[in-house]
Amino acid sequence: EVQLVDSGGGLIQPGGSLRLSCAASGLTVSGNYMSWVRQAPGKGLEWVSIIYSGGSTYYADSVKGRFTISRDNSKNTLYLQMNSLRAEDTAVYYCARAYYSHRSGYPEAFDIWGQGTMVSVSS
Amino acid sequence: EIVLTQSPATLSLSPGERATLSCRASQSVSSYLAWYQQKPGQAPRLLIYDASNRATGIPARFSGSGSGTDFTLTISSLEPEDFAVYYCQQRSSWPPGYTFGQGTKLQIK
């Protein structure tokens, strides 16, 4: 069974740092396009970041320069290092596998999701 | 940046009725549009990819159509478990990224 398990969330003060983890089973993180998507309380979905199987990384403007996506192949785990956290970063963070479309040549949509981990930024 | 606008914001229907949800893009996204269902306290679930392809395990009552800027998710006959929030999503080539619509809440009438 393919499964993504998110962890690492919690309550953190503004300006602080937190690292989220996404442990994968049934798929290899390094061989897939892996992403983070967040959802503020009562709001819609917002894409945060993606790491391609080849290692390229991309970020939403709202987190660029503050967040870093990475992976540990030996642990089959995806990470999101979040620095300089702000109140507006408060959200449930989901890791997700982006399926690769052979038709377009790009990862187009998110077909496997973790259960999410809550990050609250508040003093 | 491509903006996705979903309508209506809220749709009130009864089980057995047909639901039609709309997603309009501010510029053409070809046919690379996806739809998700999200229930309270749960992660989103992929329903439709590439505008009209059902994801694995998705019932046949869910169908997607459209291309360019106008897309539709249709649920042919609503089941009680279909009442949820639905999002559309597309990929941007530049800047690289992904955009979601603001969601349509499908509620029981």
Side-chain angles (χ1 to χ4, degrees), chain B residues 31-46:
Chain B
S31 61
Y32 301 113
L33 187 107
W35 289 94
Y36 301 83
Q37 177 194 68
Q38 188 179 33
K39 297 179 180 179
Q42 296 185 16
R45 177 173 70 145
L46 178 66

Side-chain angles (χ1 to χ4, degrees), chain B residues 44-71:
Chain B
R45 177 173 70 145
L46 178 66
L47 299 175
I48 301 288
Y49 65 95
D50 290 355
S52 61
N53 295 304
R54 273 190 304 276
T56 304
I58 302 303
R61 65 180 181 274
F62 291 91
S63 64
S65 63
S67 65
T69 60
D70 291 297
F71 299 85

Side-chain angles (χ1 to χ4, degrees), chain A residues 50-123:
Chain A
I50 190 169
I51 182 166
Y52 281 22
S53 54
S56 298
T57 59
Y58 301 96
Y59 300 90
D61 286 345
S62 58
V63 306
K64 201 172 295 182
R66 300 188 299 124
F67 289 11
T68 302
I69 190 171
S70 65
R71 64 194 182 202
D72 184 327
N73 297 343
S74 66
K75 296 182 178 179
N76 205 28
T77 298
L78 178 74
Y79 299 103
L80 185 68
Q81 177 67 44
M82 303 185 297
N83 299 331
S84 303
L85 282 161
R86 307 166 180 167
E88 53 266 34
D89 295 319
T90 293
V92 175
Y93 285 73
Y94 298 99
C95 73
R97 194 269 296 267
Y99 96 93
Y100 176 80
S101 170
H102 289 279
R103 192 158 68 95
S104 71
Y106 290 95
E108 293 291 349
F110 308 104
D111 61 345
I112 302 168
W113 295 70
Q115 86 286 2
T117 185
M118 181 69 203
V119 173
S120 297
V121 184
S122 175
S123 54

Side-chain angles (χ1 to χ4, degrees), chain A residues 33 35-38 44-50 52 96-101 103-104 106-113, chain B residues 1-7 21-37 44-53 55 65-73 85-93 95-104:
Chain A
Y33 297 77
S35 195
W36 290 96
V37 177
R38 69 184 180 183
L45 300 168
E46 180 188 16
W47 173 77
V48 173
S49 181
I50 190 169
Y52 281 22
R97 194 269 296 267
Y99 96 93
Y100 176 80
S101 170
R103 192 158 68 95
S104 71
Y106 290 95
E108 293 291 349
F110 308 104
D111 61 345
I112 302 168
W113 295 70
Chain B
E1 179 185 331
I2 297 177
V3 176
L4 298 178
T5 302
Q6 293 186 240
S7 62
L21 287 66
S22 175
C23 178
R24 177 164 289 179
S26 58
Q27 55 186 279
S28 178
V29 298
S30 185
S31 61
Y32 301 113
L33 187 107
W35 289 94
Y36 301 83
Q37 177 194 68
R45 177 173 70 145
L46 178 66
L47 299 175
I48 301 288
Y49 65 95
D50 290 355
S52 61
N53 295 304
S65 63
S67 65
T69 60
D70 291 297
F71 299 85
T72 300
L73 174 69
V85 179
Y86 292 83
Y87 295 95
C88 58
Q89 170 259 314
Q90 65 85 34
R91 178 188 60 82
S92 300
S93 296
Y98 299 82
T99 305
F100 291 89
Q102 83 280 14
T104 289

Side-chain angles (χ1 to χ4, degrees), chain A residues 1-51:
Chain A
E1 180 192 6
V2 178
Q3 192 174 17
L4 300 174
V5 179
D6 302 321
S7 62
L11 176 63
I12 188 78
Q13 291 189 338
S17 297
L18 207 57
R19 189 179 78 161
L20 306 183
S21 300
C22 170
S25 56
L27 66 83
T28 56
V29 167
S30 62
N32 282 275
Y33 297 77
M34 301 298 297
S35 195
W36 290 96
V37 177
R38 69 184 180 183
Q39 186 170 36
K43 302 298 183 181
L45 300 168
E46 180 188 16
W47 173 77
V48 173
S49 181
I50 190 169
I51 182 166

